[in-house]
Amino acid sequence: MNINLTMIGQAIAFFIFVVFCMKYVWPPVMDALRERQKKIADGLDAADRASRDLELAQEKAARELRQAKQQAAEIIEQANKRSNQIVEEAKDLARVEGERLLSAAKAEIDQETNRVKETLRSEIARIAIAGAEKILEASVDENAHSEMLNKLAAEF
Amino acid sequence: MAGETVTASSYIQHHLQNLTFGNHPDLGWTFAHSAKEAQEMGFWAVHVDTLGWSVALGMLFLWIFRKAAKKASTGVPGGLQNFVEIMVEFVDTSVKETFHGRNKVIAPLALTIFCWIFLMNLMDLVPVDFLPRLFQIITGNDHAYFKVVPTTDVNATFGMSLSVFALIIYYSIKVKGVSGFAGELTLQPFGKWMMPFNLLLEGVGLIAKPISLALRLFGNLYAGELIFILIALLPFWVQFALSVPWAIFHILVIVLQAFIFMMLTIVYLSMAHEDH
């Protein structure tokens, strides 16, 4: 229990230890700790950022998908409309064409009828004259009576 | 142990005597052969065992921590680095919680105090007769004194607490200036008309810091050591039953005392930094 020089020796040792610790132990360990803290913080930040990016990308992808679907629906609708239109147009065209053909045919038929009528008419006139010649036996002057007979034939 | 005729009190006294080397008035520079001789040497004597063990343990602490510090990397830490980092971080947190100024001495100081005192206290768990007996066998002197727990030596604890006291004074003056520090000692709590009384109060408070710091550590460890010695005096078949629980309890005391010494140092130094 004597107070003696040991106390001073202890104080000197204490001083040296503290200085050593301050110079060679504390700074490297603290630096390493701080750097690791920074690294971990950076890593966490990066992870956060990445997950945020992922979320954004997912959102974007969903949005684009929705847009694409909408576009596709629009296109299909347009196509349907267009096809209907085409069908309608074709129908109209066909009807017009049919009518044209029909009228052409009718005209042709009329023409033919007229031509036949004409032929028939002249034929009848000739037959009538021939008949009359037979009946009257030359009492009838062909030149004098043909005009009258033609008038008669025109009455058919 | 002291030979054939060992009595309980001589055994205890022998265990509580340091290995002293000093200047004896009659014998010159020599090792003390008895407690009386050691006392007669007065101030000019050194407790070789205390200094030897404390320096060795301090170097052990610095060696371990330096080894980890050299290899400190920012990657995944290994076992030793992990341990050292936990200690450093623990001390750093304790310092940051208490001390809010900027001072790069306090944290390493606290770390040194905690680890060093812890290691010195840890020597208390080595069986009381083991190392002294080993020392006696090595030196061939059956009566050689040898105390292995430096913190049971009041010199060791005072050596540290007075160093801390010196730091308190140094930082008080550095931060507040001589007049500020003097003012703090004399102008409160009762104003300048009660100056002598204030000085007495504050002076006692100031002086009490190193004394309480040193005596608390010393008292706890000295008492613990004494109980180990008393247990060692009992018949061998009860020794185990008593020394094991006491040792287990003592683990707590060892860490706690190291922690208290560290915390109080931080608190005192942070008080020295604060202006009122």
Side-chain angles (χ1 to χ4, degrees), chain B:
Chain B
M1 278 183 276
E4 320 71 44
T5 54
V6 186
T7 64
S9 68
S10 74
Y11 174 81
I12 293 168
Q13 274 167 8
H14 191 270
H15 263 285
L16 295 179
Q17 179 59 43
N18 283 101
L19 175 67
T20 315
F21 180 81
N23 188 8
H24 190 270
D26 300 328
L27 305 167
W29 286 96
T30 179
F31 281 104
H33 299 293
S34 66
K36 190 164 161 294
E37 268 183 35
Q39 198 144 28
E40 281 164 357
M41 285 172 180
F43 186 76
W44 295 106
V46 171
H47 291 160
V48 179
D49 46 3
T50 299
L51 267 188
W53 278 112
S54 59
V55 168
L57 291 167
M59 281 159 90
L60 175 71
F61 148 65
L62 288 174
W63 177 67
I64 291 172
F65 274 62
R66 177 66 189 152
K67 211 171 122 185
K70 261 197 288 194
K71 281 194 290 189
S73 68
T74 56
V76 178
L80 177 67
Q81 199 190 335
N82 224 335
F83 164 73
V84 167
E85 279 177 5
I86 287 169
M87 295 300 294
V88 167
E89 198 130 54
F90 157 70
V91 172
D92 196 46
T93 325
S94 305
V95 171
K96 277 193 182 130
E97 273 169 8
T98 315
F99 179 72
H100 303 295
R102 285 184 60 78
N103 189 323
K104 61 183 173 52
V105 179
I106 288 184
L109 173 77
L111 178 70
T112 310
I113 286 175
F114 182 72
C115 293
W116 194 25
I117 292 180
F118 172 74
L119 284 173
M120 290 196 282
N121 290 353
L122 197 64
M123 296 306 290
D124 216 1
L125 292 180
V126 179
V128 276
D129 269 321
F130 183 69
L131 286 170
R133 187 77 193 114
L134 201 67
F135 180 73
Q136 285 164 357
I137 289 168
I138 290 168
T139 55
N141 178 1
D142 268 356
H143 295 277
Y145 299 109
F146 203 57
K147 258 174 94 175
V148 295
V149 191
T151 38
T152 57
D153 184 350
V154 81
N155 288 294
T157 58
F158 263 112
M160 286 182 292
S161 76
L162 287 177
S163 306
V164 171
F165 184 62
L167 281 176
I168 294 172
I169 305 273
Y170 170 74
Y171 281 118
S172 292
I173 291 173
K174 194 183 166 195
V175 173
K176 300 162 197 164
V178 177
S179 58
F181 184 46
E184 194 178 280
L185 286 180
T186 51
L187 298 179
Q188 55 166 358
F190 293 122
K192 56 183 174 176
W193 301 112
M194 297 281 276
M195 214 180 261
F197 187 62
N198 289 339
L199 185 61
L200 187 69
L201 275 182
E202 290 289 319
V204 167
L206 189 67
I207 302 293
K209 286 173 184 174
I211 293 176
S212 68
L213 210 53
L215 289 185
R216 180 182 305 108
L217 178 62
F218 165 72
N220 272 282
L221 270 291
Y222 191 78
E225 175 84 341
L226 199 60
I227 290 186
F228 274 123
I229 294 169
L230 290 175
I231 290 170
L233 279 170
L234 295 169
F236 72 93
W237 46 270
V238 281
Q239 280 189 18
F240 183 76
L242 287 173
S243 69
V244 167
W246 180 243
I248 291 170
F249 172 68
H250 213 62
I251 293 172
L252 181 71
V253 175
I254 283 169
V255 182
L256 196 66
Q257 286 307 318
F259 179 70
I260 288 173
F261 200 108
M262 178 190 85
M263 270 327 277
L264 284 178
T265 303
I266 299 169
V267 169
Y268 290 157
L269 286 179
S270 78
M271 278 161 72
H273 278 74
E274 271 162 24
D275 256 320
H276 290 284

Side-chain angles (χ1 to χ4, degrees), chain A residues 1-11 14 17-18 20-22 24-26 28-30 32-33 35-36 39, chain B residues 43-45 47 54-55 58 62 65-66 69 73-75 81 85 88 92 107 109 112-113 116 155-156 159 163 218:
Chain A
M1 280 287 279
N2 314 313
I3 295 284
N4 57 28
L5 219 52
T6 316
M7 193 171 77
I8 291 166
Q10 187 81 6
F14 183 46
F17 290 154
V18 169
F20 186 90
C21 182
M22 205 174 90
Y24 300 108
V25 174
W26 191 262
V29 176
M30 272 328 258
L33 278 176
E35 246 167 77
R36 176 150 353 102
K39 250 166 99 173
Chain B
F43 186 76
W44 295 106
H47 291 160
S54 59
V55 168
L62 288 174
F65 274 62
R66 177 66 189 152
S73 68
T74 56
Q81 199 190 335
E85 279 177 5
V88 167
D92 196 46
L109 173 77
T112 310
I113 286 175
W116 194 25
N155 288 294
S163 306
F218 165 72

